[in-house]
Amino acid sequence: MSQGTSTVHVSCYCGKYVANVIVNADSTIQKIPCHCTSCRRWTGGLYVYRLPTTQEPLGIQRLTEYRVTPLSTKYFCPDCGSHIFGKTGQKWGVSPGVVDGEELQPSVEIVGHEFVEDTGDGGFTSWLTHWGGKELPRWKGEAHESELLPPEWPSADDNQRNQDTEDDKLWAGCHCGGVAFYITHPNEASRQPRRAPFPELMVPGDKAENPEGQTWWLQAGGTKYLAGLCTCRSCCKATGFDIQAWAFVPECNVFQPNGEPLDVNAGTLKKRYSEKIDGAYRCFCGTCGATVFWGSDNRDGVVDISVGLFKGKGARVEDWLVFGKRVSYVQEATNKKLVQELGRHFTITGWPKA
C-alpha cells in the first residue's frame, strides 16, 4: 500500500456538497469490501468500502449524520442522499463514488471480501472472484479475524439454511426501518404492455424507446424480474459507491406494508428530481440515507429498486431476480479495474456505435 497522500475532489449527486479531501495514499489503495447485511441496508448496494482520509473532512456539519453502531457513523447529503463519508472509531473514509474524475485516483486494489456469510449466497463476491489473476479470499466475518469460506460455499445445504421468507412476498427495507415495502411475484397485471423505455443494459441509451410496450422487465418465462448492474456517474454519485444493483419491477407489484399501492413519499422517503433528465427522480431514506428507488414520470409503471434492500434468500435474491449479462454505462465507470474484473461474468464493453 502506498504511504503518501493525494488530494481528491469530491461532490455529491446534487452538487450542494463539494470539498477537497486528502486521501492516505498516492497511487494504489488495498481494500477489502464489506458485504454485511447492515452495510447493504444503509446503502441499498451490495458492498461497501471507502478510501482512507487523513483527517476529519471540512463542512461535515452540512451533512446528515447516521450512527449505525456506537463505533460507526455515516454522513450523507440531506438533499440527495449521497453517502460521502464514514467514521469508524477515529478513522475517516470517503466513498469512492463521489470522487470526481475520469478514473478513480488513487486506484483501488481489492484483496479480499469480508462478512460474506451474511449474504447467504455470496452476493457480489460471486461476480468479483479474482483481482489481477489472483483468487480473492472470502472471510466469514471480519477480514483476517474470522474463518475463510471454502471455494464451494454456499452449498445446497447452506442455501436451505438461508433466511426464511414468505413465498408470495419479498420484503425490503432500509437500515433504520423508516422505509419498508414488499413486492409480489409477476402476475397478469405485470404482463400488460407498457411503454417503459428499455434500460441501457438491454439497448443503447439513444435507442431506448419501447413503442410496442414490450415487457422487458419479465424474465425466466415471466416468473422473475430483470435486475442489472449500473456504473453511470449519476448512480455512483447518488449512492456514493462505484456500482449499483437495480431490480426492475412494475409498480403494480410493489406495496406498502399495509397492502396499499407503492407511495414514493411514504415513511422517511425523500424524493429528488434529476436536473439532467426530464421527469427522472431518485428516492432515498432521509434518516439513514439508503438509496431506494429510481423512477421517471415518463416511464409507464416500472420502478427501479435497490437490490441491497431486499430481505430474501441470498443477497442476489435469485429466486426472484435474473441479472442481465451486461454492465450498464461502462463508458462512465471511474473504477475501471473493477469493471475489467467483472468481465469474467458480464459484458463490459459499451454498445457499438451506429
Side-chain angles (χ1 to χ4, degrees):
M1 184 182 294
S2 217
Q3 298 301 310
T5 61
S6 299
T7 300
V8 299
H9 187 269
V10 303
S11 59
C12 65
Y13 173 66
C14 69
K16 290 188 176 180
Y17 182 89
V18 295
N20 288 321
V21 177
I22 300 176
V23 173
N24 197 22
D26 60 14
S27 58
T28 302
I29 304 172
Q30 292 184 339
K31 297 302 299 181
I32 299 175
C34 179
H35 301 263
C36 76
T37 299
S38 179
C39 282
R40 286 183 279 116
R41 298 291 185 264
W42 64 257
T43 62
L46 293 180
Y47 66 86
V48 167
Y49 75 87
R50 295 190 186 85
L51 312 182
T53 61
T54 60
Q55 59 191 16
E56 179 177 328
L58 297 175
I60 200 74
Q61 68 277 1
R62 289 183 279 141
L63 303 177
T64 296
E65 176 182 307
Y66 179 68
R67 182 158 294 188
V68 181
T69 71
L71 292 177
S72 178
T73 306
K74 324 299 178 188
Y75 298 84
F76 64 91
C77 175
D79 295 297
C80 65
S82 293
H83 283 278
I84 304 175
F85 299 110
K87 182 182 180 183
T88 302
Q90 297 302 312
K91 295 181 179 180
W92 287 86
V94 62
S95 301
V98 298
V99 176
D100 293 317
E102 294 295 320
E103 186 169 356
L104 188 60
Q105 295 294 332
S107 63
V108 168
E109 178 187 2
I110 302 299
V111 294
H113 301 287
E114 67 178 358
F115 291 99
V116 178
E117 189 179 50
D118 274 17
T119 67
D121 60 2
F124 197 84
T125 73
S126 298
W127 300 321
L128 190 63
T129 57
H130 292 71
W131 195 276
K134 298 179 180 178
E135 186 172 357
L136 295 176
R138 299 187 301 171
W139 281 277
K140 182 177 180 179
E142 186 177 356
H144 304 293
E145 301 294 330
S146 62
E147 299 175 24
L148 284 170
L149 291 167
E152 64 274 12
W153 185 90
S155 65
D157 290 341
D158 292 316
N159 287 329
Q160 289 297 320
R161 290 192 293 269
N162 284 344
Q163 179 180 352
D164 291 334
T165 58
E166 298 180 46
D167 290 337
D168 60 342
K169 297 177 183 177
L170 176 59
W171 284 89
C174 66
H175 188 274
C176 72
V179 177
F181 58 95
Y182 66 86
I183 69 173
T184 57
H185 287 292
N187 52 21
E188 188 58 36
S190 318
R191 292 185 278 273
Q192 295 303 309
R194 292 178 173 83
R195 294 196 176 191
F198 291 99
E200 208 270 350
L201 69 87
M202 299 184 73
V203 300
D206 58 352
K207 298 180 180 179
E209 294 84 359
N210 182 19
E212 297 179 0
Q214 295 183 49
T215 56
W216 51 262
W217 49 88
L218 296 181
Q219 301 290 308
T223 63
K224 299 181 181 182
Y225 298 114
L226 177 67
L229 302 178
C230 184
T231 56
C232 78
R233 291 303 297 141
S234 292
C235 281
C236 292
K237 286 285 186 181
T239 63
F241 298 95
D242 40 28
I243 200 162
Q244 172 67 357
W246 294 111
F248 307 99
V249 182
E251 293 178 8
C252 63
N253 294 101
V254 188
F255 298 89
Q256 299 179 71
N258 62 3
E260 293 293 317
L262 169 68
D263 180 357
V264 296
N265 296 296
T268 55
L269 279 171
K270 296 183 72 173
K271 183 178 181 181
R272 181 176 183 91
Y273 277 93
S274 170
E275 298 178 357
K276 298 180 179 180
I277 304 175
D278 182 45
Y281 61 85
R282 294 177 182 271
C283 298
F284 64 96
C285 174
T287 300
C288 67
T291 298
V292 184
F293 300 120
W294 184 96
S296 174
D297 295 341
N298 302 317
R299 184 197 265 181
D300 185 11
V302 179
V303 66
D304 299 4
I305 302 174
S306 291
V307 174
L309 302 182
F310 286 129
K311 301 176 181 180
K313 295 178 180 178
R316 298 192 306 273
V317 284
E318 290 182 328
D319 51 343
W320 287 76
L321 307 178
V322 174
F323 278 84
K325 297 301 182 183
R326 176 182 290 275
V327 176
S328 295
Y329 294 103
V330 292
Q331 66 276 13
E332 297 184 18
T334 58
N335 193 338
K336 300 186 186 306
K337 181 61 176 175
L338 172 68
V339 171
Q340 179 183 335
E341 295 293 346
L342 289 177
R344 292 172 176 269
H345 301 276
F346 296 94
T347 298
I348 56 168
T349 55
W351 290 98
K353 294 183 179 180

